[in-house]
Amino acid sequence: MMENRIDLTVNIAGLSLKNPVIAASGTFGFGREYSAFFNLSRLGGIAVKGLTLKPRKGNPPPRIAETPAGILNSVGLQNPGVHAFIRDEIPFLRRYETAIIANASGNTVEEYEEMVSILSEADVDAVELNLSCPNVKEGCLVFGSSVSGITQVVSRVRKLCKKPLIVKLTPNVTDISEIACAAEAAGADAVSLINTLLGMAIDAKTRRPVLGNVTGGLSGPAVKPIALRMVYEVSKAVKIPVIGMGGITTGTDMAEFLLAGASAVMIGTAGFVNPYAWVEAVDGLERYMLESGVKSVSELIGGLMV
Amino acid sequence: MNLIHRVGSIKPLNEDTFLMTIESAEIAAAGLPGQFVNVRCGGPDAYLRRPFSLCRVHRDQGTFDIGVQIRGRGTQALSLMREGDPIDIMGPLGRGFSLKSEDKRIAVVGGGIGVFPLLQLLREHPAAEKLALLGFRIRDQVIMEKDFRDECHELCISTDDGSWGVAGFVTSLLEKKLAEKKIDRVFICGPVPMMKRAVETCKGKNIPCEVSLEERMGCGIGACLVCACKVKLDGCWDYAHVCKDGPVFSGESVIFE
């Protein structure tokens, strides 16, 4: 069997993934909807919908606007709260052999601490600290867009976190490498990037913003060149693993992120268009590796020839 | 789920609206009135899928119809498709209208292109008496008149300017008809102000009603949470999602803004 010669496994911060494809937080719910389309065990991991201490209703609609080769969203962290996630969703997700990555947000440092303490005792494989949501007024982006903010949250959370700690970074900063280095210094086991780019859409006919929240986060193929550049820069700046994301649709897109230095990738928006995007990306990467004579994903990581 | 189906035919309904027949034994077999399909329209700039409700399902022929009004990039691209073209469609999706045998007399109230999902409802509903009230702005926009006439016992059409049928809003027609006859349930689809008014009318008469809502969608299956709509919940409110919890909701539960 040709396939057997291809090694898709990757290790990130002590987390072993069967392949480098992780469903991106906020695009995959808790997996239930997409389990009707494919076996979730085919994924390396699932970063679940962004969680907060208490349930959140999210922002007023419309929450989505189409843009050239992408979308703006302003969901605003609608979620049932971390306790409902642990009670109702983990047992479902554990039916599948895939890593569960809990994405956690907070309004204050204390909330981040509490979230991480709770998730440290839960049956999840890693915690992804959301310090980059552009659609909520408090917390998140406020912490994630400055060295001091990220240092404060990550160092305090690190002391309490018993799981691999991934810090998700915003691209809405002047120098993302500086923020990534601060996360590393404060104890992050890995960084994931990029979250969405802050943008907006206007309906000229009505003279009103398209999104109920006025601004939203841009994702999809439109952001891929920016994401690649940021993953490339951050990978050079930090020693911890980088999880790359931003506009990935195909296995070849994924290979590009790995070459730029990512150890794994997250895929999200592409799945809105094609519900099989995640598994097709896994197959596509395998094909790419076969065709290029690459036997293991580790050979690709950071393999960009400049 | 097989995503690739085939365009059967395209039939213009008026200047900017057409009926597309799609060959898909799977969707035709499973599709219920009020459910929708999420269609990849193609074209360079239509990135997301577009949701369309099932307008008519021909189970024996393995086809179904969707009604499309050309409004933007996606629907424009759809209008350029031709018979035999492959078309990428997810569906059937969402929750449709209730089909209760105890509802002996039903009325459907449609406004503009909101009439589309009501046709299949009339075709499949077991009620003994079916009334259809359809409202349009002007005569040129009156669509599907014969199709509706064939599927109901009484059809009334209104246009805002009186250029066809009764002059005025379809909600006034509803008020008049509910005063005249007993109706067990009303099914509504159209512009938000019209649905709001129709729901209020039904509430005033204590007649249960259902509405089919529209909202900008992402995934179409309940994962991305973008197509939020306000609904009453336990004395308070919450956001439901049109794609998964709907598109059909009980009229009483929706909070129109």
Side-chain angles (χ1 to χ4, degrees), chain A residues 146-166:
Chain A
S146 74
V147 166
S148 60
I150 210 145
T151 303
Q152 188 192 11
V153 178
V154 177
S155 57
R156 294 228 339 232
V157 157
R158 175 73 276 178
K159 295 192 186 88
L160 302 165
C161 190
K162 298 175 187 167
K163 309 275 183 183
L165 183 64
I166 302 162

Side-chain angles (χ1 to χ4, degrees), chain B residues 220-254:
Chain B
I221 56 172
C224 74
L225 308 183
V226 302
C227 55
C229 65
K230 258 187 189 177
V231 294
K232 288 173 197 153
L233 188 82
D234 305 330
C236 194
W237 68 271
D238 202 357
Y239 283 124
H241 294 92
V242 173
C243 71
K244 193 182 184 183
D245 306 313
V248 175
F249 294 85
S250 87
E252 297 78 28
S253 70
V254 175

